[in-house]
Amino acid sequence: MLALTLLTLVLVNMYMVFGDSSKAVTRKAAQFDTEVEARRVLDRIALAVIGAELETLQVPNSAPNSSSAIDYSVNMGFEDGAVVWSPGRRIAHQNGHEVSWRENPGEVDERHATWTRAAATLLEGELQNGIDDNGNGLIDERGLSFDVQGRMVAIRLTIEKPGPDGKLVTKTLETRVTCRN
Amino acid sequence: MRMGNRSWRRSSAKRGSALMAALFVVLMVGTLSMAYLQMSISKNKEQQGAADAKRALYMAEAGLSEAYAGMVAGKSGNVGSDLLPARFGNGVFWVVAENLGDNKTCLTSTGLCGTGRSSVSLVVENKRPSVASQGVFADSAIVVQAGAVIDSYDSRTTASGVSVGGMTLAGGSTTSGSGANAARVASNANITVQGTTARADGARVLGDVHPGPGGVVVAGTGSTITGSTAPKEAALALPEVRYPNVAQSGNIAYDKASPALVLPTGTAGYESFHLTGTGNATLAGPLTLVLDRLILDAGTRLTINTTNGAVKIFVRDWLKLAPGSTITCASTDPTKTAIVCGGMETVDRDADGIADPPVTIGATSSYYGFVYAPRATFTLANTFNIWGAIAARGLTIAGGGRIHFDRAFLDLPGDEGADPEPMCWRLVQLPPARIVEERTDPLLYLKLRGITPVPSKDAHYDAGVTPLTGITKPWSRVTVAP
């Protein structure tokens, strides 16, 4: 009887340890996945914008109003003594959770790609209330926001994905790129 | 006793069962730990890879900056190569410079750091025209005396034995060419082309003569100008001479005809280089020589050999190629030879009581190269025939003199004083190089092959020198797609 009780105790403890460890590993894996996705998408956006021609760089609003889309053109090369610029391109936060890239947006020959479907509706810490809740100088910015300051573009991105316990795992990253053209 | 034996047998049968359970627990914990460790390693690798990718981009941009600085200093823009890249911090880079023509150069830099790889391209333009591309140029007046002839040719296409302006071009390369009416004479002031005199026919300029914005061309009766004489729209400022930073190693005075004095290649500096008596010296490229004084007395001979590399002579104070001295060029590529003098004042330089001008060019020579003396006014003797270009503060071409402007100077990548202007920047595809394709740390990769990367400041190539490369597949250099 005593041995059985002791065995039960040991087994229960083992189960609790394994259970907690397993949950921790799964949680960490979810955080890791979210962080990896956030970094990849942000790096992709940064590399797309870094070669933009300054005069073609356009955002719908300027600070403190936020912009969740950016229009730009990049240098494609040099031909016949002249610089060749790409057609207009757009990176935008759309449909609530998507970050998409488009070339010739709205045209017949439009090309597009979706870089992530896990973008948050609003940037982390922000609420839709007309106030800068997270203190970054922007009001009600979406999960992807652009802020053009001279030659520099500040890009903020929040990625959220469901975790193992049903709670959302969130990761917010920010970077600043200086346009080279 | 029997009962004791039975209980002992029973307990011995059960011995080791706790070990099984313990082993199972240890295995489970070990498996979980391994999973967690694997995840941590994976995360670290991911973060390290992202960091290396960014570092590689900055490394590539550092390469562009290095190549740009090299172009400002008169280099070609090529820095290192995929076989021997330049070392910068904890990574390497190399830059390929491609001449796009029309004073434009495309610099493509590939940066490697850790597992990161990045390639960026920048097109630069030398907006200010090269001084050498002006042909015969002076900041103040130019006088072309009667009997002198100024014409043009192209050293890249004119063959050996082709007559240009009545003189036979020695050496040369491919098929014949002429274009003898594309000479260039320009000034920021007036230009005088003397007409026929009692002693000589009128001067001939087979090409354009452009005075300064407020200047005029004075063409004497009997002179010939075949091209435009319209004034320039804007004055061209002669850039200051930028002397290479070379320590001086004393004086050289040589008076023997044999053996000839041969300076080692590379970079050298002396206070004075003076050939006296029957002195005979050879300067073989690649050589950059920085002097306070270059003096060739009558009867001396200087040979310039650019077969293996460019020869650039910088003289700070006194350039004296006395009448009766001889300069011989062993190669006929004018773009590889330059004599640059920054001297300005006429003062007594040798304590003989007679003031010495900063520049005297009276030697006998068929000189293939560029002469640049932005602060000196002098007369170019009719024994010193130039195949190339010349620029000075003020210039007189002595009667009977010959200058053959080389149109190859029109396509040289840069001017000694003009800073290239960036035009456009873009990310490009990685080149098909082995060191790029093997995603290991480039420093380790090179170390295993016994290759020591060169410090970036020492990895520049001179204009006209093509770096060795192992890339055999075509490199499309397309823009990286998002």
Side-chain angles (χ1 to χ4, degrees):
Chain A
M1 211 38 213
L2 183 63
L4 203 60
T5 308
L6 283 172
L7 181 65
T8 307
L9 272 174
V10 166
L11 286 174
V12 165
N13 270 311
M14 272 171 50
Y15 175 78
M16 285 170 60
V17 166
F18 291 147
D20 287 345
S21 302
S22 176
K23 280 183 192 168
V25 168
T26 312
R27 232 184 350 257
K28 271 293 176 190
Q31 286 175 359
F32 176 47
D33 282 344
T34 306
E35 186 176 337
V36 164
E37 178 145 0
R39 181 174 297 112
R40 279 184 190 161
V41 174
L42 191 68
D43 286 348
R44 216 166 183 182
I45 297 172
L47 282 179
V49 173
I50 198 172
E53 212 269 324
L54 194 61
E55 288 173 4
T56 65
L57 206 62
Q58 285 180 358
V59 290
N61 306 308
S62 52
N65 296 316
S66 61
S67 299
S68 60
I70 191 168
D71 292 319
Y72 64 99
S73 289
V74 297
N75 169 229
M76 296 293 291
F78 198 82
E79 200 172 325
D80 294 333
V83 180
V84 177
W85 297 103
S86 73
R89 295 179 176 179
R90 177 179 296 163
I91 299 172
H93 182 282
Q94 65 181 27
N95 299 334
H97 293 286
E98 286 182 4
V99 172
S100 70
W101 170 90
R102 291 176 190 276
E103 184 177 83
N104 277 328
E107 301 293 329
V108 172
D109 54 347
E110 176 185 292
R111 294 197 303 149
H112 68 270
T114 301
W115 287 349
T116 184
R117 290 188 170 85
T121 307
L122 291 171
L123 205 72
E124 189 175 12
E126 191 63 40
L127 296 171
Q128 190 81 36
N129 55 8
I131 304 173
D132 179 14
D133 301 291
N134 53 15
N136 63 2
L138 298 175
I139 297 170
D140 296 348
E141 64 275 22
R142 309 279 289 279
L144 171 66
S145 79
F146 299 95
D147 181 18
V148 178
Q149 302 158 0
R151 294 189 70 90
M152 198 170 59
V153 181
I155 309 168
R156 298 176 179 87
L157 174 69
T158 297
I159 295 288
E160 58 184 19
K161 297 176 111 173
D165 48 2
K167 288 186 187 171
L168 285 175
V169 179
T170 303
K171 182 69 184 177
T172 299
L173 295 175
E174 175 180 337
T175 190
R176 289 167 193 272
V177 298
T178 303
C179 294
R180 302 300 199 258
N181 286 307
Chain B
M1 202 58 161
R2 275 192 218 148
M3 279 184 67
N5 280 342
R6 261 208 303 273
S7 70
W8 178 83
R9 263 191 242 119
R10 233 182 283 133
S11 63
S12 70
K14 288 179 190 168
R15 275 166 73 182
S17 59
L19 178 64
M20 296 303 296
L23 264 178
F24 176 74
V25 171
V26 166
L27 266 172
M28 290 302 294
V29 171
T31 304
L32 275 174
S33 301
M34 287 303 297
Y36 195 78
L37 183 66
Q38 182 72 18
M39 193 179 67
S40 290
I41 291 173
S42 180
K43 182 177 178 181
N44 280 343
K45 269 191 183 172
E46 174 73 29
Q47 286 180 332
Q48 186 67 32
D52 283 347
K54 285 194 179 70
R55 288 195 193 106
L57 174 65
Y58 297 137
M59 190 68 63
E61 293 213 289
L64 285 182
S65 297
E66 188 71 49
Y68 182 90
M71 288 186 71
V72 170
K75 299 291 183 180
S76 65
N78 288 302
V79 183
S81 69
D82 61 307
L83 294 180
L84 184 61
R87 171 94 187 247
F88 187 80
N90 60 347
V92 298
F93 66 78
W94 72 88
V95 184
V96 174
E98 180 185 350
N99 186 4
L100 302 178
D102 196 24
N103 284 327
K104 294 179 179 65
T105 304
C106 177
L107 303 172
T108 305
S109 173
T110 305
L112 292 75
C113 185
T115 57
R117 305 287 186 263
S118 186
S119 198
V120 295
S121 171
L122 177 70
V123 175
V124 298
E125 179 183 22
N126 288 318
K127 278 206 156 171
R128 187 163 74 181
S130 152
V131 176
S133 69
Q134 301 299 299
V136 179
F137 183 85
D139 186 41
S140 59
I142 292 179
V143 177
V144 185
Q145 292 183 344
V149 177
I150 301 175
D151 55 20
S152 71
Y153 78 113
D154 192 332
S155 62
R156 296 166 295 187
T157 57
T158 304
S160 175
V162 171
S163 175
V164 177
M167 299 193 65
T168 301
L169 173 63
S173 52
T174 54
T175 55
S176 65
S178 59
N181 283 317
R184 288 183 167 199
V185 179
S187 164
N188 290 332
N190 296 335
I191 299 176
T192 301
V193 182
Q194 286 187 349
T196 304
T197 64
R199 282 189 278 180
D201 292 336
R204 294 167 61 207
V205 179
L206 306 183
D208 298 336
V209 178
H210 294 300
V216 295
V217 174
V218 179
T221 305
S223 65
T224 303
I225 300 174
T226 61
S228 165
T229 57
K232 289 159 60 73
E233 288 181 3
L236 174 66
L238 290 178
E240 286 296 317
V241 177
R242 293 186 189 181
Y243 297 97
N245 188 12
V246 177
Q248 292 186 320
S249 309
N251 300 312
I252 288 183
Y254 196 74
D255 62 358
K256 292 186 177 56
S258 179
L261 171 67
V262 179
L263 289 189
T265 59
T267 308
Y270 303 96
E271 288 174 17
S272 168
F273 186 97
H274 189 179
L275 293 184
T276 63
T278 56
N280 183 6
T282 297
L283 304 179
L287 173 65
T288 299
L289 190 59
V290 183
L291 310 167
D292 287 343
R293 298 177 171 192
L294 171 61
I295 305 166
L296 304 186
D297 288 346
T300 60
R301 173 183 291 272
L302 178 69
T303 301
I304 299 175
N305 188 346
T306 58
T307 307
N308 295 325
V311 172
K312 294 191 176 180
I313 305 170
F314 293 84
V315 181
R316 287 199 175 92
D317 181 52
W318 190 16
L319 172 66
K320 182 180 177 184
L321 310 178
S325 63
T326 304
I327 294 183
T328 303
C329 290
S331 164
T332 55
D333 184 355
T335 63
K336 289 190 174 179
T337 307
I339 297 177
V340 179
C341 179
M344 184 172 70
E345 294 174 341
T346 298
V347 295
D348 182 10
R349 289 176 160 85
D350 53 5
D352 62 355
I354 302 172
D356 304 295
V359 175
T360 300
I361 300 183
T364 300
S365 179
S366 273
Y367 172 77
Y368 291 83
F370 179 44
V371 177
Y372 185 56
R375 304 166 85 182
T377 297
F378 58 93
T379 298
L380 183 71
N382 59 11
T383 54
F384 195 91
N385 296 310
I386 293 181
W387 302 78
I390 181 169
R393 182 162 176 257
L395 189 60
T396 298
I397 314 298
R402 296 284 190 272
I403 297 180
H404 312 282
F405 168 57
D406 182 4
R407 290 195 305 283
F409 281 111
L410 296 173
D411 291 330
L412 273 188
D415 176 16
E416 291 294 332
D419 289 351
E421 189 162 315
M423 289 186 69
C424 54
W425 180 103
R426 63 183 176 128
L427 290 165
V428 292
Q429 204 170 37
L430 290 169
R434 181 71 66 84
I435 191 174
V436 171
E437 289 163 1
E438 292 203 17
R439 294 259 175 172
T440 55
D441 181 77
L443 296 176
L444 180 63
Y445 174 92
L446 293 169
K447 187 177 178 183
L448 290 174
R449 282 152 184 78
I451 300 171
T452 305
V454 185
S456 56
K457 63 178 177 63
D458 299 327
H460 291 266
Y461 287 86
D462 287 327
V465 177
T466 307
L468 280 175
T469 178
I471 297 176
T472 53
K473 291 187 279 184
W475 181 15
S476 62
R477 291 193 292 112
V478 296
T479 301
V480 173

